[in-house]
Amino acid sequence: MTPIVNLSRRNVVKGLAGMTGLVLGFHVGPRIFPFAEAAVRAKTFEPNVYLAIDETGLVTIAAHRSEMGTGIRTGLPMVLADELEADWTRVRIVQAQGDPKYGDQNTDGSRSTRQFYQPMREAGASARQMLEAAAAHVWGVNANDCRARNHMVVHTPTGRQLSFGDAAKVAATLQVPPADHLELRFKPASERRYVGKPMPIVDLANIVRGKATYGIDFALPGMKYASVERCPVYGGKALSFDAADALKVPGVERVVAIAATPIPSGFNPLGGIAVIASNTWAAQQGRQRLKITWDFGPNANHDSSAYRAELEATARKPGQVVRDQGKVDEALASSAQRISADYFVPYYAHAPMEVPTAVANVVGNKCEIWAPTQFPQAARATVLGGSASSVRERHRQRDLAGWCLRPQVEAGLYRGGRLAIAGGPSAGEGDVDARGRDSARLLSRDLCPARRGRARGGRQRHRMASSDGVSGDRIDVPTGRDLRQRRRAPAGRYRHALRDRERSLREWARRQPCSHRMVSIGLQHPTRLRGMLVRRRACPCGG
Amino acid sequence: MPQVRINGVQHDVAADPQMPLLWAIRDVLGMTGTKFGCGIGACGACTVHMDGNAVRSCITTLADAAGHEIITIEGLSPDGTHPVQRAWMAGNIPQCGYCQPGQIMQAAALLKETPKPTDQQIIDAMSGNICRCGTYLRIRAAIKSAAETT
C-alpha cells in the first residue's frame, strides 16, 4: 500500500501553483531493485509526485520524469488522470523541477512506466476516493454511493452531481484516513478512458508551432554564451594556450582555462579552454581561433582495435561470481545443442539532436541551473561537491538528449565564485568563470561528436544450450578496467537486467516448437556485465 | 547593420553580417522555435523559408538573408494551422520534437513546390532532415495526408 498524505493542511506544499484546493503528495518508491527495496522504503515517506486540484477543477499533475521523446511526460500523468476520472482536457501537466522531494528522477533504464505505473494508479485512485468522500460529506450520504465520473462526483441513487473543483475544496479540509486504512478501489480496465488508447502527447501543439521550450531555448536577460575547446583525448589537459586571435573576434569577451578532473572524472569538468562571448556564434568563432598545446594524458596511445581485443579476451575469462546455483558447467558440458554468438559494439558518438547545454545563474554564493538532464539528483550532487552553497536545479520542460546514458550537463559552483558548467564524459562540457556575471550558457555542438566522449563500446557473448535434466545458474561479473579507469559497478546493479533477460528467455523458450529443454544461457558484457544464467526450461510441447 | 525581414517584420540586427541567420534569430531576436542541431547544414533542424524555399539557417549568413523574406516556424501560419501543422497534430508525429520545426518547414516548402508529391519525392525532399527518435514513417504519412487535404 502506498502511503498517501493530504498535504493541503501542511506547510510543506502550498499547492503546485500556489493554489488552494486538494493537494496530494504520494510516495512513488523505486521498485526496480527489489534487493534494495526495503532500505528505500524505510527512509522515504517524503512525497515525490504531486497532484493538485484547484477550486475551478483544474487538475495539475507534475511530470517528474525527463521527456526524451518516449512520451513519458504524457504517459504517467495519463495513468493518474485516468484513475482519477479526470477530464483530460482539464488536466495541466507541469514539469517537476529537479528536487529531492521527488526522490530519484533518473529517467533511464526503460523503467519509468514499469516503476511508476502502479504508484500513479494509486495516486489517482486515492484522490478520486477522497473526492467521493468529500461529496458524500457535503450531501450527508454514504460515500459508497458516490462515484467520480469524468470530472464530476455523482451520487448514484439520486443523480446529484458535484464538480471536482467543489469537491476538492471540501476534500482539502477533510481528515485523510491513515494510509493503511485507505482501501483503494481501482477502475476496471473496461472503464479506462486514456490508458491503452492512442493519446496525443501533451506538448504536441507547442512543438508544431515552435513554442516548446527545450533546455537550449532557456535564456536569462543579458546572459553570456560559452563554448569550450576540450582535449581531443579523454584524460588529457591543456598545457598552454594563446587566446589573442580568439579575443579579436567581435563579441568575444573573455577566455578562461578550466582545470581538468583527473581520471576517473565522473561527471566533473573535463577541462579545456572556454571562450565567453555575447552570443553563441562569437563564442564558437573564438573557440576555433584558440591555439592550444595539449598533453594527451594517459590515453594518448589508446588504440580502439587493441581495446577490442582486450575486451574479447576479458569476456572469455571467468569473472567475479555473484550468484551460483545448480550445475552450470555440467549443464553446458552435457548439452546436446549449443548456440554461441558474440556481439560487439564499438565506441560511438551519442549525437543527440539537442546539444548538451545548460544555463547557470550565479548570485552571491547561490547558483541556479537550467539544464536538460536525465538525472537531476546526480547533477546536483556533482554540483554541490563539498560546497555548502545553495544550488537549485531546474528541470526544464524537455530533455532532448536522447540516447545518452548519463546526465547530459551538470553545473557546479566552486569556491571563489567560480562557476563551472560541466558535463560527464559523454556530454558537452565547459567551465565558465562567471565572476561579476549573472549568467552564462554553455553550448557545445561543435564538440560533438568530435570532442565528446564516446559511449563505451561493449561486447557480449551469449551462449545457449539445450539438454535434459541438468540445470544451473551462475552470474559472474568481469574484473578489470575500461578506458575511463572506472571500476566495475557492483553486480547487484545488473540483477534487474538479468531478470529481464530471463523473462525474454522464458518467452523464447515458450516459442520453441521443439522438445528440447533449454537449459543455459550465458551473458557476457565486458564493460558492464558478464553473467551466466543456466536455466532448465520445459518446452510447451512437453519434451 | 544587417536588415532582415522575418515573419513579416523588418529587423535591424545588431550583429556581424557574417553571423549565421540561425544565431541572429535565436540569440539576438530571441525566437527559439528554430533549432540548432549541427551548425553545418547536415541535420535540417534549423530549416527556415527564404522567399518560400527551405534553407538551413545555420549556414545562411545575415548578409545572405538581407533583402529576402524569411519565415520561421513561428510565422508559418498566424495560428499554427498550416496544413502541415494540422497534419502533424492529427498524426501525433513528434516524439521529443526537437527536429520537428525543421521537418515541418521542409515539408511546407516541399508542398508549396510540389503539391502532390510522390513517395520518392517526399523521401528526396526530406532526406536532409534528421530525426533521432525515428519518426520518419509518420512524417511521410503526415506529408501525404497534408497533400491530400490541400
Side-chain angles (χ1 to χ4, degrees), chain A residues 68-69 199-201 204-205 207-210 212 214 216-217 225 279-281 284 350-355 398 400 403 443 445, chain B residues 16 18-20 23 26-27 32-33 35-38 45 73 79-80 85 88-89 92 94-100 104 130 132:
Chain A
M68 286 166 280
M199 295 279 287
I201 56 174
L204 182 58
I207 288 172
V208 302
R209 289 167 173 82
Y214 294 78
I216 196 175
D217 299 330
Y225 298 78
N279 62 74
T280 308
W281 187 66
Q284 291 173 339
H350 287 303
M353 287 295 286
E354 183 187 29
V355 299
R398 309 281 295 179
L400 265 300
W403 308 107
L443 192 61
R445 167 58 86 203
Chain B
D16 185 334
Q18 291 309 304
M19 177 187 279
W23 296 116
R26 288 185 57 88
D27 288 359
T32 57
K35 302 304 184 197
F36 170 53
C38 68
I73 184 73
D79 51 0
Q85 287 169 314
W88 249 247
M89 292 282 288
N92 197 21
Q95 284 193 220
C96 84
Y98 192 79
C99 72
Q100 300 293 345
I104 288 168
I130 294 172
R132 285 295 308 272

Side-chain angles (χ1 to χ4, degrees), chain A residues 12 70 109 114 118 127 157 187 232 268 279 316 322 350-351 355 422 487 533 538:
Chain A
V12 181
T70 64
R114 276 187 285 155
Q118 185 61 16
K187 289 168 58 175
N268 295 293
N279 62 74
R316 288 172 189 279
V322 296
H350 287 303
V355 299
R487 288 205 70 80
L533 297 175

Side-chain angles (χ1 to χ4, degrees), chain B residues 43-66:
Chain B
C43 79
C46 68
T47 302
V48 299
H49 291 175
M50 187 157 85
D51 298 335
N53 299 312
V55 298
R56 309 298 190 224
S57 63
C58 72
I59 52 171
T60 303
T61 65
L62 271 173
D64 291 339

